[in-house]
Amino acid sequence: MSKSWFLKRLLSSFIVLAAVLVLNFLLFRMMPGNAVSTIIDPSFSPEAKENLRALYGLDRPLWEQFVIYIRQMLTFSFGLSFLSRKPVWDELVSRLPVTLTLTVSSMAISSALGVWLGIKAALNRGRLAEKIVLRASAVTSSFPGFFVQLVLLMLFARALPLFPLRGTLSVPPPTGALDIFLDYGWHMALPVLSLSLMGFGGWALYVRNLMVRALNEDFALMARARGLSRGRVVWHAFRTILPPI
């Protein structure tokens, strides 16, 4: 990796980040209406409306609002939420455990499933198993996430109420650590399933292509010629495609 390539990538990343920040700042101010109208009652006095605008810094010039916006982004001080009137940082932190659970669980399941299917497809080149894996991976990767999640909700939470429709715990919540854990897993099962279905396709295609190349290398051909078992040949081929630690 050359130094110039790294610097170009770093510069392009900063440019993209700057463009996202500027667009995020301008788009919400170019939209019809204003932020204050979403949090005030029509019966509020003009003084109350101005106090709210001052509270959120909306009474200042646009360039000064942008400076405040950048400073708050860099210091992770996001102010108050328009809807809950609570600090935005507290709202983010309160949702972090659920987000991490969804992300880590779905990533682990989708990667494990994708790797297994990719190896199976590589070992069955030209057969029905490979065609099924390739087509299933292409279909699941092409569908938008919100569509898949809505369909799963309609099927398994609405039509067939096998899973809860919302929330992370039942109301009222169960008592006992084990019951709470099982209830939490029941509520998280459908979201994790939807994210896993959308994520395994890329892993399967990637691993399949790498394994096909590895199994055709000289060391794999020599191993098969020497009578090594299929499992050992696959394991040694799989080790070659793993990133170096």
Side-chain angles (χ1 to χ4, degrees), residues 94-233:
S94 66
R95 289 163 174 78
L96 186 60
V98 177
T99 303
L100 289 177
T101 301
L102 284 173
T103 303
V104 174
S105 301
S106 61
M107 185 175 296
I109 295 174
S110 61
S111 59
L113 180 62
V115 169
W116 180 72
L117 290 176
I119 294 175
K120 288 294 182 182
L123 295 175
N124 294 275
R125 293 194 63 191
R127 300 178 182 175
L128 180 62
E130 183 192 32
K131 295 178 181 179
I132 292 176
V133 171
L134 294 179
R135 291 178 182 176
S137 301
V139 169
T140 55
S141 300
S142 60
F143 274 105
F146 70 90
F147 176 77
V148 175
Q149 291 162 350
L150 284 176
V151 170
L152 291 177
L153 279 176
M154 292 175 61
L155 288 178
F156 299 111
R158 188 75 176 182
L160 302 173
L162 302 177
F163 298 98
L165 190 61
R166 62 178 66 87
T168 56
L169 285 175
S170 300
V171 180
T175 58
L178 180 60
D179 292 336
I180 292 176
F181 176 78
L182 294 176
D183 188 72
Y184 183 77
W186 180 46
H187 281 75
M188 299 294 288
L190 195 57
V192 170
L193 174 63
S194 65
L195 293 175
S196 301
L197 288 176
M198 292 182 295
F200 85 90
W203 284 94
L205 296 175
Y206 180 70
V207 172
R208 179 262 177 193
N209 295 335
L210 292 180
M211 284 296 294
V212 167
R213 185 183 306 173
L215 290 172
N216 289 324
E217 294 287 345
D218 292 339
F219 77 91
L221 298 176
M222 181 63 69
R224 284 196 292 266
R226 293 181 60 182
L228 265 69
S229 64
R230 186 184 187 187
R232 293 189 64 183
V233 174

Side-chain angles (χ1 to χ4, degrees), residues 33-55:
N34 57 79
V36 176
S37 62
T38 65
I39 59 175
I40 63 175
D41 189 274
S43 62
F44 279 11
S45 64
E47 292 79 8
K49 295 179 182 180
E50 289 301 320
N51 289 336
L52 282 174
R53 290 180 59 85
L55 177 64

Side-chain angles (χ1 to χ4, degrees), residues 32-99:
N34 57 79
V36 176
S37 62
T38 65
I39 59 175
I40 63 175
D41 189 274
S43 62
F44 279 11
S45 64
E47 292 79 8
K49 295 179 182 180
E50 289 301 320
N51 289 336
L52 282 174
R53 290 180 59 85
L55 177 64
Y56 289 102
L58 300 175
D59 59 334
R60 305 185 183 187
L62 192 63
W63 68 267
E64 191 172 350
Q65 293 183 38
F66 183 74
V67 172
I68 296 173
Y69 165 74
I70 295 297
R71 185 173 66 244
Q72 290 180 336
M73 284 290 179
L74 294 176
T75 58
F76 300 100
S77 177
F78 304 124
L80 299 177
S81 170
F82 288 155
L83 297 178
S84 65
R85 313 294 194 273
K86 298 179 181 178
V88 174
W89 181 253
D90 293 344
E91 295 283 348
L92 294 175
V93 171
S94 66
R95 289 163 174 78
L96 186 60
V98 177
T99 303

